[in-house]
Structure formats: C-alpha cells, structure tokens
Amino acid sequence: MYGAQLLADAAGLAHEKAVIDTAIAAIGAGTDKNFASSETDPIKELDEAIMTVMKAAKNGAPVKVLFGATAFLRLKNNANVRKMFVSGGGSKFATPGLADIQAMLFGNPECRMSLMVIDTAAEGVQESINFLLDEAILIFSSKDEPNTMDPSFMKTFRLMGNWMVPGGYESEDKRDTVLKFDWYEQIKVTNQPAAVRINAKATS
C-alpha cells in the first residue's frame, strides 16, 4: 500500500506538469506587466484578460485564473492592490488572499495558485529548484464537467474507469512483487483562443 501511494503521488505530479507544460506551449510567451510599479493596476489587467477569454468561450465555460507563486506574491504586494485593503486598527494589518482577489475580479472567477516546483539542473550537479509556473498567470475557460462540445481551453481525455488502475505482478525470479498503475490519457488544447497569459514582472 505504501508503494502504491508513492506511485500515485508521482503519477499525479507528472500529470500536473504535463498539463502546465501543454498550456504554456499553447498560449505562448504572454504579455509582460510590471506588477512592482504603482502605475500598473493588476486587477484591471486581469479583468481585461477575463473579458477576452469570456468572448472566446462565448460564455460556454466559466473563466478560471491560475497564479504562479511569484506572480501572486507580486500581485498582492502591488501598491494599487494593497490600498484596497484596510486594517482593523491597532497592530493589525490586512493582506489579500486568493479568495479576496477572486472577489475583486470581474465575474468572480475561480482562482487557484500553482506551488509545484521542479529541479531544472542537470543530473549530478547542484539542484536548482524553481516554481513551475512562477511569474505566469493563466486566465482560461474551463468547464467543471466538460463534454466533447464545450469551449474549454484544454481537456484531458481518459478511458472511463481506467485512470490509475492499480495492479502488480511477480518478478521473473518470483522473489519480488512489482507494483504498477495502468492508465491512458490525452491532454489536448481544444480552444486555443480561450486563454491569456500575463507575466507578473518586477521590472518594466
């Protein structure tokens, strides 16, 4: 059971990376915005992107927002965002969280943050750990219960009842049991215009 749990965790992380890699490749480099500048209003930038995605999805799928870790940190520390929050007095202070940002955005889209990290260094040398999404913010259409016709930006196609099916078999010498998971999936971009990428930079 312990080995199966480890394998399931690794498979889940591999799937998450594959989804993010596919999305980034489809959307492209995106648009750089200086979130460290008081002249940049991140909420306005995101609202405009949300409206663009809504039009591309023709309201057939809700809009969602996925923040890279660095991107969300820079957004919540932006002067124009912080001034919208006031403290309760005394030594208390207010800082926006994901739920607060979601409530501020046009249409109240579901907001999440990717905290997945990856070692980008070659094998055998000192590790270089970086956030997979990092500075990027992805705004995209995504239906919670997709079908073959809805205008979601991306979909994962799987055989029903055949996702991460556990199993095992004996080694040739009969001394060990090999644990395995069987699955088949295809990650596909199905509505490329229904996604926008904003890069939350700290410089212009």
Side-chain angles (χ1 to χ4, degrees):
M1 290 180 65
Y2 176 69
Q5 183 180 20
L6 290 178
L7 188 56
D9 288 345
L13 290 171
H15 171 72
E16 181 180 350
K17 183 179 184 303
V19 170
I20 292 177
D21 286 347
T22 302
I24 291 295
I27 300 173
T31 304
D32 293 350
K33 299 292 181 179
N34 183 10
F35 276 29
S37 172
S38 60
E39 296 181 1
T40 299
D41 183 347
I43 301 302
K44 178 177 180 293
E45 299 291 345
L46 290 173
D47 280 347
E48 291 177 354
I50 288 168
M51 295 186 72
T52 297
V53 172
M54 283 181 171
K55 291 176 182 178
K58 300 179 177 64
N59 281 334
V63 176
K64 298 179 181 179
V65 181
L66 179 62
F67 293 93
T70 301
F72 186 77
L73 185 65
R74 290 174 179 167
L75 179 142
K76 81 179 190 69
N77 288 327
N78 176 272
N80 289 307
V81 173
R82 292 186 68 86
K83 72 182 182 182
M84 298 180 187
F85 294 83
V86 295
S87 68
S91 61
K92 296 180 180 180
F93 61 93
T95 183
L98 271 175
D100 300 310
I101 298 302
Q102 177 173 322
M104 294 168 67
L105 293 175
F106 181 71
N108 194 37
E110 179 181 343
C111 293
R112 294 191 181 185
M113 178 166 43
S114 171
L115 297 176
M116 186 177 188
V117 298
I118 185 172
D119 182 3
T120 57
E123 187 174 354
V125 301
Q126 184 176 356
E127 65 182 13
S128 178
I129 304 299
N130 296 284
F131 289 106
L132 188 60
L133 205 54
D134 201 26
E135 297 178 326
I137 304 171
L138 306 185
I139 304 95
F140 57 96
S141 63
S142 174
K143 194 169 184 178
D144 291 335
E145 297 181 1
N147 55 60
T148 56
M149 300 298 292
D150 76 81
S152 295
F153 162 56
M154 289 176 61
K155 299 175 187 177
T156 298
F157 295 90
R158 296 172 178 155
L159 297 175
M160 188 172 293
N162 284 279
W163 167 242
M164 293 179 67
V165 180
Y169 58 90
E170 288 187 336
S171 61
E172 291 184 6
D173 60 8
K174 308 296 184 181
R175 299 178 66 182
D176 294 304
T177 299
V178 179
L179 299 176
K180 67 181 180 70
F181 276 108
D182 293 326
W183 74 81
Y184 176 81
E185 69 175 9
Q186 284 190 333
I187 302 168
K188 294 290 187 182
V189 175
T190 51
N191 186 11
Q192 194 276 334
V196 173
R197 173 180 175 178
I198 294 174
N199 302 310
K201 297 293 185 179
T203 57
S204 55

